């Protein structure tokens, strides 16, 4: 995980609505200390170095962290 080791800025592709759509209990399970590594993998998968504006995201096919 090298993305977050830089000086930033960073863009996180996460919407609050996405968390609300998880099956019941999923978020509570991910927030448990024993699942910290899994939660980190999920969240860092949605982070890229640099500032990416919403208008630019719709034109993108992929992004590199």
């Amino acid at each position: 995980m090298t993305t977050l080791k830089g000086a930033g800025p960073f863009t996180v592709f996460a919407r609050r609505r996405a968390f609300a759509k998880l099956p019941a209990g999923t978020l509570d399970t991910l927030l448990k200390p024993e699942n910290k590594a899994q939660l980190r993998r999920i969240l860092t998968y949605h982070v890229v170095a640099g500032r990416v504006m919403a208008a630019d995201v719709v034109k993108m096919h992929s992004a590199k962290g």
Side-chain angles (χ1 to χ4, degrees):
M1 175 179 66
T2 59
T3 301
L4 299 177
K5 293 186 190 248
F10 303 103
T11 299
V12 179
F13 297 99
R15 298 193 54 142
R16 195 173 291 204
R17 288 186 284 171
F19 289 101
K21 290 183 179 186
L22 290 171
T26 302
L27 187 55
D28 291 332
T29 299
L30 288 170
L31 292 174
K32 291 181 179 179
E34 63 267 25
N35 297 323
K36 184 177 179 179
Q38 183 180 9
L39 180 60
R40 179 180 290 136
R41 283 191 306 272
I42 291 168
L43 293 176
T44 56
Y45 181 79
H46 295 86
V47 174
V48 295
R51 185 170 304 192
V52 181
M53 305 308 287
D56 298 325
V57 171
V58 297
K59 302 173 201 168
M60 297 171 68
H61 295 285
S62 65
K64 277 194 163 191

